[in-house]
Amino acid sequence: MGDLGELFGSLVMIFMTAAITNNFILSQFLGICPFLGVSKEVPTAFSMGLATTFVMTTSAVCVWAVNSLILVPLGLGYLKYVAFILVIASFVQLTEMVIKKVSPPLYKALGIFLPLITTNCAILGLALMIPMNNYNFIESTIFGLGAGAGFTLAIVLMAGMRERLEFADVPAALKGAPITLLIAGLMAMAFMGFSGL
């Protein structure tokens, strides 16, 4: 029973670390492009977060499998960048096709940022951290899920603040990108408060 408790605690720690303490956007500054580009409305940001979470989780599982079962045993570690990008691109295409079929308005709202998930450095960073941290299958899955949850949390929080700013009296010099970047910086500092966890 003690081993099961330790395993559960370890998995919770991996999830919380990926989601909050080492948040890909606010702590590691990966994935800033969709963070700033799609965070104008909460529903769109939430949908982008869900799509990214799906891609991160499924990519984490496949990256672990490709690395552990193919690249390492065959001594092809030098191909990991190419292999990981192919895995990520495959899942982004799948996600794009499903969203286009299920919700054309959402597909149109996400626009160019949906296919850009392929080149989202947060997802490639996640793929490269899995072998670096020697995560097993379950840890990789939890890491991907936690990273996606953290991405969704950050982008939805930013969208909520940007929606409120529409009705705020913001000085002309700060309107648009300057106030958005200031908010992102303040959010990053707030998330640094979790670093002691």
Side-chain angles (χ1 to χ4, degrees):
M1 190 69 172
D3 290 340
L4 188 62
E6 286 179 22
L7 175 65
F8 181 74
S10 171
L11 295 177
V12 168
M13 187 59 72
I14 289 171
F15 181 88
M16 295 304 289
T17 300
I20 297 176
T21 310
N22 289 329
N23 186 289
F24 275 71
I25 293 176
L26 299 174
S27 294
Q28 299 182 28
F29 306 107
L30 298 172
I32 297 292
C33 181
F35 174 68
L36 296 175
V38 186
S39 62
K40 292 180 182 169
E41 298 175 350
V42 171
T44 307
F46 183 69
S47 299
M48 180 64 163
L50 289 181
T52 304
T53 300
F54 172 76
V55 172
M56 283 182 146
T57 306
T58 51
S59 294
V61 170
C62 286
V63 158
W64 175 86
V66 166
N67 189 59
S68 299
L69 305 175
I70 299 171
L71 297 179
V72 171
L74 297 176
L76 300 173
Y78 60 90
L79 291 176
K80 71 175 145 188
Y81 287 99
V82 175
F84 294 172
I85 289 172
L86 286 173
V87 167
I88 293 166
S90 300
F91 283 111
V92 169
Q93 283 300 116
L94 175 69
T95 306
E96 188 175 1
M97 288 187 300
V98 168
I99 291 176
K100 187 175 185 179
K101 185 77 172 166
V102 172
S103 179
L106 176 60
Y107 178 78
K108 190 172 183 180
L110 292 175
I112 189 66
F113 292 102
L114 188 57
L116 282 178
I117 293 176
T118 303
T119 57
N120 187 339
C121 55
I123 299 174
L124 184 58
L126 169 106
L128 294 172
M129 284 181 196
I130 289 170
M132 216 167 56
N133 293 326
N134 291 320
Y135 286 146
N136 62 31
F137 175 78
I138 295 171
E139 291 170 339
S140 298
T141 306
I142 297 298
F143 182 62
L145 189 63
F151 184 92
T152 303
L153 175 67
I155 199 168
V156 168
L157 286 174
M158 176 58 97
M161 288 188 216
R162 288 179 78 178
E163 279 185 353
R164 296 207 44 163
L165 280 175
E166 291 293 321
F167 304 106
D169 187 24
V170 178
L174 292 177
K175 285 189 178 186
I179 193 73
T180 303
L181 293 173
L182 280 172
I183 291 170
L186 291 171
M187 285 175 62
M189 288 188 344
F191 268 64
M192 283 178 63
F194 295 109
S195 62
L197 291 177

